[in-house]
Structure formats: structure tokens, C-alpha cells
Amino acid sequence: MEKIFIDEAVNELHTIDDMLRWCVSRFNAAGIYYGHGTDNAWDEAVALVMHTLHLPLELGREVRRARLTSTEKHRIVELVIRRVRERVPVPYLTNTAYFAGLEFYVDERVLVPRSPFAELIENGFKPWLYNKPVNRVLDLCTGSACIAIACAYAFEEAEVDAVDISADALEVAQINIEQHGLLNRVFPLQSDGFAALGGQKYDLIVSNPPYVDAEDMGDLPEEFHHEPELGLASGRDGLDLTKRILARAADHLNDEGLLIVEVGNSMVALAEQYPEVPFTWLEFERGGDGVFLLTREQLLEAQDLFAIYRD
């Protein structure tokens, strides 16, 4: 049946527009989950088809009427079948994701970039870091290093440490650091939280740590099971690593330093457990929530609350 399906698509579809329409129909019929860079069938189809054809995502109507070769159609159809049958996110099929307007290599060793941090970085962390010197940045739980690299672009004079516990993730980070020509400014480091950082201090610490709680881990769509569990799960309430970060961050911040952490849906549990902590919950024009900001001074004042997590 699959061969008939492939032959029909290859023989009866001719143009890029034909293939895009067919992809959208297949995705809608299969009821796939969107959430790894797109939120609808059309954008998902564009991402898959255009990358496979080595064309830009934004393509004029005239060019989309161009006819495809049999080889091109076979390749696209094979990827669509994998997307539908195996529920593999498109960025893993194309090994490409976009974050803060930048292109990154990704595979199943790292999460697919999708953090609202992108908007924050593109805005230069205004107003919190407006006109303040930023010489050293720490990206904790860096994964593909997309946040670290975007920060390096935002703060052109800064050095950025890209830290992760996963050696596999750091291999992907290294690929992206090299592709962006930032070997002299972004440094991948293996560490379990702050453990291997010694007395290093930073003007800004950013982190998108694992924050999915146990209940949500059991309900995740199939697409998420292609991502490393190490980058998603963080205990019963989704806050195991976040609490360790809160316990140690002040030790690694300069006097006017800031800590900014994404905790997603676990923001409710965090706010309920620590009503005394003056979290600033950031708002985003392009959507997304669950990102808090604390100053070093605020972290020091709350340090006793997290003392048991100082490992």
C-alpha cells in the first residue's frame, strides 16, 4: 500500500505548489501535533518541502509553479511518510531549526528550539539590561546552544559559556558554534548545573532547563518522545533543576547580575511553593509565558528558602 501511495504522489504531483497542497492534506488527515517550530499544517509543509528542495522558506508564486524532478518528489514523499507514520518533528527530518532569526543544526540529541527567550534576546533584554555592560553570559542547559549563540549576537562584546550535562548535546552545540563562527566567544562546557564552574561569575545567567512535570510527561504527544527525556523531565513538579539553579545562581552573578529562567507550565507550582520570592514573570508579544527574572540581590534574600538544594 505504501508503494502505491508513493507512486501516486510521484506520478500525479508536478509542481512545488502541488507538493505543498498534498503535504497539507496528508498532515491534516493524519492529525499530527504541531509545536516544534510551527503551529499549522501549511507552515509545517513549507518547512519540510522548501528545505528538502534547498530553497528559501519565502518563495514567490511564480517559482512555486516550477516542476519537480522524480528524485525531488521521492525525497519529499519519503519524509512526509516519516512525519506522519513515525511522528518525527520536521526539524529532525531536515536537521534545521530557526531561533531568534538564526539557523541551527538539530538532531535527536537536543530539543528543538522553541523558547520565548528568542523575543527577549532580539529585544536586547530591554529594559532590564538597557545600557548596562554585559561581558559574560552563562547559558545553563544549553542543548543546541541556540540561546547561547543568540546572546552572543545580542551582546557583541560578551563571552558566553554554553553549559550542559549531556556530552551528546554539547556535540550538537559545537556544530552550531562552528557554523556561526563563534569559537572565540561561545564556549561549550560539560557540567551538572553549576558544579564544574568553580568561582566563575556572570553579568547574565539564562536557562531553559527541563521543566516538564511527571503528569505532563505521561501525556506528551508522540512527537515529543523523539526528544531527549533528559531535556524535558524534571521530577514530580517539574522544578527539580530549577530549585538547584535558584540555590546557586547568586554565587555566580556579579553585583548587578540577572537570572532569567524558563519554567513553562511549572510556573504555577513555583509561584505557589515560594510566594515570598518576588519573581518577575515576563510577558511576550509573540506568545509564551513561564519565564521569570530575579536580580542577584533578590536571590540572596531568598537563599535560605533554597538552601536544601545547594548540592
Side-chain angles (χ1 to χ4, degrees):
M1 185 64 183
E2 189 171 292
K3 184 180 185 304
I4 297 173
F5 184 74
I6 294 173
D7 289 345
E8 181 183 61
V10 170
N11 293 331
E12 299 184 20
L13 302 173
H14 303 292
T15 68
I16 296 174
D17 269 336
D18 288 343
M19 189 60 72
L20 287 170
R21 196 282 309 158
W22 180 81
C23 287
V24 170
S25 295
R26 298 289 69 72
F27 293 160
N28 285 336
I32 62 174
Y33 178 84
Y34 308 103
H36 291 86
T38 70
D39 61 6
N40 62 82
W42 174 259
D43 288 345
E44 190 92 345
V46 168
L48 187 150
V49 171
M50 296 310 183
H51 188 276
T52 305
L53 297 174
H54 306 286
L55 292 172
L57 297 181
E58 300 294 333
L59 200 62
R61 184 75 178 178
E62 290 301 317
V63 181
R64 294 213 316 259
R65 292 174 181 157
R67 293 172 68 91
L68 300 173
T69 68
S70 293
T71 300
E72 289 172 331
K73 288 187 280 187
H74 270 289
R75 180 60 180 151
I76 292 169
V77 172
E78 288 168 1
L79 292 180
V80 170
I81 289 172
R82 288 197 64 200
R83 179 67 184 94
V84 168
R85 290 186 58 193
E86 301 174 31
R87 292 302 201 259
V88 181
V90 165
Y92 289 154
L93 296 173
T94 62
N95 295 124
T96 303
Y98 297 89
F99 179 80
L102 303 169
E103 183 177 318
F104 295 94
Y105 172 87
V106 294
D107 61 31
E108 295 187 15
R109 292 175 288 181
V110 297
L111 300 187
V112 175
R114 51 183 178 271
S115 171
F117 258 111
E119 182 178 324
L120 194 61
I121 296 168
E122 289 170 352
N123 292 334
F125 292 87
K126 293 177 183 176
W128 299 279
L129 288 174
Y130 185 66
N131 281 341
K132 289 184 179 180
V134 177
N135 298 311
R136 298 205 69 207
V137 177
L138 170 62
D139 175 22
L140 206 56
C141 308
T142 195
S144 64
C146 62
I147 291 177
I149 289 169
C151 284
Y153 280 102
F155 303 111
E156 296 180 355
E157 304 300 320
E159 292 184 349
V160 184
D161 285 344
V163 170
D164 206 288
I165 191 174
S166 167
D168 286 341
L170 290 173
E171 290 176 0
V172 176
Q174 183 69 29
I175 292 170
N176 286 315
I177 292 166
E178 291 178 4
Q179 289 185 349
H180 284 272
L182 290 168
L183 288 169
N184 63 333
R185 291 183 51 220
V186 180
F187 308 103
L189 301 168
Q190 187 171 15
S191 178
D192 181 1
F194 297 107
L197 298 184
Q200 298 293 319
K201 289 185 179 290
Y202 303 89
D203 302 304
L204 172 66
I205 298 175
V206 293
S207 184
N208 181 11
Y211 57 70
V212 182
D213 63 38
E215 182 178 353
D216 285 348
M217 280 298 296
D219 295 333
L220 288 175
E222 288 183 52
E223 281 81 354
F224 288 96
H225 293 290
H226 290 275
E227 296 189 296
E229 185 175 341
L230 185 64
L232 294 170
S234 194
R236 181 188 58 79
D237 60 3
L239 295 169
D240 283 4
L241 185 51
T242 298
K243 292 171 185 176
R244 291 172 55 204
I245 292 171
L246 288 165
R248 286 286 187 184
D251 300 338
H252 295 277
L253 282 170
N254 291 322
D255 287 344
E256 295 187 4
L258 297 179
L259 169 70
I260 305 178
V261 180
E262 179 177 350
V263 293
N265 292 341
S266 295
M267 66 181 292
V268 175
L270 186 62
E272 287 179 351
Q273 290 178 43
Y274 300 99
E276 318 93 313
V277 179
F279 297 108
T280 297
W281 295 100
L282 307 186
E283 297 181 357
F284 300 93
E285 291 183 3
R286 302 202 298 258
D289 55 17
V291 178
F292 70 78
L293 178 150
L294 289 170
T295 66
R296 181 174 186 270
E297 182 178 356
Q298 289 170 331
L299 286 163
L300 287 171
E301 290 174 356
Q303 212 163 40
D304 288 349
L305 297 172
F306 303 103
I308 60 173
Y309 302 105
R310 290 178 64 86
D311 48 15

